[in-house]
Amino acid sequence: MSRTRGIRGRRPRLRFDGWIAGVGTSSGTRVVLGHWQRSPFGPFSDVMIERADGERLLLAPSHRTGDFVSGTYGFDKVRVVPVDVSVADDIWTVAAGPLELRFTVGRRGPAGVLLRAVPGVLAARPAWAALTNGPAHLLPTQVRTRGRTGARRREWYGVRDMRPVGVVSAVFEGLDLGVMAPVEPPVRFGFGSVPRKPVLTRVTTTVELNR
């Protein structure tokens, strides 16, 4: 999806449709994969990494996507590297410069079944993100679906599906990151973290730019 056209005077909004996977490892490194099938930049994937010492790293496939993502979220370093994602049945394989990541996904639970029934048109509306925001609804308590990001931008996550991550293997700069673990402490890229329990989520993300 590309830039949306709003009413006169409204700030421009960009829309992204795809998947976000958040996983933790026993080494303390946490990884967030964004796999965007439709976006203003065309299909692309990027990886956000927070290491055990708190260093935040973005792996982006181009300078253009790297500039946009790093302008929206906070990182200590940005690397432009090829980011390749392949999906075979329930196995996801990611090759992104110094990172090799592989994970499996399991059957969706009740929340995933309900979210999957959400029409795409509804999920694309910021009002849906507002409805699902907070602990009283379908999503984990630490997850926020709306907030302010870098460069005075606003963002909404319209969640459309959720599946648990089963098994994770990850190597970064030649070092094994260990087995799957909770995303703990929460990652600090933007206004909220991914769920503590590793999960794959389908989202329609809307970013409102600051003119």
Side-chain angles (χ1 to χ4, degrees):
M1 296 182 180
S2 58
R3 185 186 297 261
T4 61
R5 296 182 180 273
I7 60 175
R8 184 178 180 181
R10 193 174 76 176
R11 294 177 178 179
R13 292 178 175 180
L14 305 182
R15 190 168 294 152
F16 301 76
D17 186 74
W19 297 84
I20 295 175
V23 301
T25 65
S26 55
S27 68
T29 297
R30 288 89 74 207
V31 180
V32 178
L33 166 70
H35 181 54
W36 305 108
Q37 296 157 310
R38 289 183 291 176
S39 86
F41 309 106
F44 77 98
S45 300
D46 64 279
V47 182
M48 305 178 189
I49 299 172
E50 184 164 352
R51 308 186 72 175
D53 61 5
E55 181 185 53
R56 297 166 300 173
L57 170 66
L58 170 65
L59 304 176
S62 68
H63 289 286
R64 188 182 180 204
T65 55
D67 289 345
F68 177 81
V69 176
S70 62
T72 304
Y73 306 101
F75 300 95
D76 302 300
K77 294 180 181 178
V78 178
R79 296 188 194 178
V80 176
V81 298
V83 181
D84 297 316
V85 177
S86 63
V87 182
D89 296 324
D90 294 330
I91 301 174
W92 288 58
T93 303
V94 182
L99 177 71
E100 297 176 9
L101 173 67
R102 182 183 175 95
F103 62 90
T104 64
V105 292
R107 297 178 61 180
R108 57 184 57 84
V113 172
L114 290 173
L115 289 167
R116 192 168 182 240
V118 176
V121 173
L122 175 59
R125 296 178 179 174
W128 172 248
L131 180 65
T132 57
N133 190 64
H137 300 96
L138 295 174
L139 306 181
T141 56
Q142 71 271 36
V143 175
R144 297 177 60 194
T145 56
R146 61 176 178 172
R148 292 192 176 273
T149 65
R152 297 174 60 192
R153 297 169 180 170
R154 292 201 299 169
E155 187 172 26
W156 296 267
Y157 290 102
V159 182
R160 301 178 59 186
D161 196 358
M162 185 180 297
R163 297 179 64 182
V165 172
V167 178
V168 173
S169 63
V171 174
F172 182 75
E173 295 183 334
L175 298 177
D176 191 328
L177 298 181
V179 299
M180 186 178 73
V183 182
E184 187 64 35
V187 292
R188 301 171 299 117
F189 307 120
F191 58 82
S193 180
V194 294
R196 181 178 182 273
K197 185 176 180 179
V199 69
L200 174 69
T201 305
R202 184 176 181 188
V203 295
T204 298
T205 301
T206 303
V207 181
E208 183 179 82
L209 304 180
N210 179 41
R211 288 182 177 176

